[in-house]
Amino acid sequence: MEKKTSTMLRDRALANTIKALGTARFTVEFSKFLRTLSDFDNLIIIVYCGEQNPRVLYRECIDPVVYMPMDREYLTSAYLLDPFYLEHLKGDNSGLKRLLDIAPDLFRRSTYYNIYYEQTTLIDEIAIFASIGEQTTITACIGKDRSSGVAFSPRNRKALKSYESVLCSLIKAQWKNFRLETESRNSEIPLSERLREKLLSEQNIKLSPRQGEIALYILRGHSSISIGLNLGISPETVKVFRRQLYTKCHISSQAELFSKLMPLISRLTEQ
């Protein structure tokens, strides 16, 4: 009987969400439908367009602290190191993705994670990805933070996964005509190249193309093994480049690398 009641509530919530398509009530009804699949502490819907700064379409939370770093840090520059953003850059990718499943192997030990995520108090995140154009991805990201203090359960994840195609279709239908105005920033130049140019012009530090690539991989939380796999070189070679990078930047830790490069990355997103 309990299962039947739960199914009826879910079907009703889905019907209300479909009825709300194309209206301002969609996000509220969509949130209610999501809650019939899994409980969560926060929900944020973000649109990514190419390498432009992301835009928030909707947000709700129990504890406001979870989004305090959002406007101040994430939307201006920190997104460039975020696994969800990097997933978007792969293009045409729709479906359910859990942050901990797609994040680099040392993500939780990265300075980015310790500085940004510890402020949010986030424990677990699952995002529904929906590609609505060649370079545009909308993600509806539900999270668990200090409000509940627990991660999503296997039952939560299974329920969400079973409605994966429905959730993606709803997002695509609601925002099928959404477009961001194209910014003048030249996104054809890789971020690592733009960072190298900035480092040279502002601090007279000249990195090789490979050292620039490895710098970003380190900031994003990749180990030497992971960097090697991504770049097709050995972990030992990665370590050589890493030592050279640290020597040129006059640093000795990832935290110092973060402090030196993040201000430059922030200014790159303003161009």
Side-chain angles (χ1 to χ4, degrees):
M1 186 64 181
E2 183 181 342
K3 184 176 181 180
K4 184 178 180 180
T5 302
S6 176
T7 301
M8 289 176 62
L9 291 172
R10 184 173 297 171
D11 289 347
R12 187 180 305 158
L14 176 56
N16 289 338
T17 305
I18 293 172
K19 289 177 185 176
L21 281 167
T23 73
R25 277 204 58 78
F26 174 81
T27 48
V28 174
E29 298 301 336
F30 182 73
S31 175
K32 290 178 182 177
F33 174 53
L34 275 173
R35 287 195 184 279
T36 68
L37 301 173
S38 171
D39 59 327
F40 54 86
D41 300 327
N42 54 77
L43 162 65
I44 188 164
I45 299 176
I46 295 178
V47 57
Y48 297 103
C49 185
E51 292 190 11
Q52 296 181 42
N53 297 62
R55 181 181 299 179
V56 175
L57 301 178
Y58 175 81
R59 68 179 99 185
E60 66 177 69
C61 60
I62 297 172
D63 185 351
V65 74
V66 73
Y67 292 135
M68 286 178 63
M70 177 65 65
D71 297 328
R72 185 177 67 246
E73 297 170 40
Y74 185 84
L75 297 176
T76 57
S77 59
Y79 72 91
L80 291 165
L81 303 181
D82 187 69
F84 284 151
Y85 167 74
L86 297 173
E87 198 70 14
H88 144 73
L89 288 183
K90 294 178 180 179
D92 192 24
N93 91 72
S94 296
L96 210 68
K97 301 177 190 295
R98 189 184 184 199
L99 182 71
L100 297 179
D101 293 337
I102 65 171
D105 52 351
L106 295 184
F107 180 67
R108 281 185 155 182
R109 290 168 53 187
S110 69
T111 303
Y112 168 64
Y113 181 91
N114 291 329
I115 289 179
Y116 177 74
Y117 273 85
E118 282 196 354
Q119 291 183 70
T120 67
T121 78
L122 282 163
I123 296 169
D124 202 357
E125 285 185 283
I126 295 175
I128 303 108
F129 277 65
S131 294
I132 60 169
E134 187 177 345
Q135 289 188 307
T136 305
T137 307
I138 292 181
T139 65
C141 182
I142 56 175
K144 290 281 206 169
D145 56 48
R146 69 181 183 183
S147 302
S148 63
V150 295
F152 289 104
S153 69
R155 183 178 179 181
N156 291 155
R157 300 199 298 272
K158 184 178 179 180
L160 289 164
K161 188 67 178 177
S162 67
Y163 277 81
E164 180 177 35
S165 60
V166 173
L167 294 168
C168 291
S169 296
L170 287 169
I171 294 172
K172 287 182 179 181
Q174 176 66 13
W175 286 288
K176 60 185 177 182
N177 297 319
F178 185 91
R179 295 293 181 271
L180 278 177
E181 290 185 10
T182 304
E183 296 178 358
S184 59
R185 187 187 312 155
N186 187 358
S187 60
E188 294 182 359
I189 302 175
L191 177 62
S192 61
E193 289 300 306
R194 286 181 278 147
L195 180 59
R196 287 177 58 237
E197 290 174 6
K198 199 75 171 173
L199 193 59
L200 179 60
S201 64
E202 293 195 11
Q203 300 185 24
N204 198 32
I205 295 174
K206 186 176 182 179
L207 300 182
S208 70
R210 185 63 91 192
Q211 289 164 353
E213 288 178 318
I214 288 176
L216 283 178
Y217 274 109
I218 292 171
L219 293 180
R220 287 166 176 161
H222 289 265
S223 67
S224 294
I225 293 175
S226 178
I227 295 172
L229 289 172
N230 277 278
L231 297 180
I233 58 179
S234 71
E236 289 70 26
T237 302
V238 173
K239 290 176 183 177
V240 171
F241 280 118
R242 185 172 188 149
R243 284 195 296 270
Q244 293 171 347
L245 168 66
Y246 280 20
T247 298
K248 285 186 176 181
C249 291
H250 308 291
I251 57 173
S252 58
S253 69
Q254 183 191 129
E256 290 178 301
L257 182 67
F258 187 90
S259 296
K260 180 173 284 288
L261 298 188
M262 276 310 293
L264 300 181
I265 291 174
S266 298
R267 290 197 286 281
L268 285 174
T269 62
E270 296 170 357
Q271 296 178 354

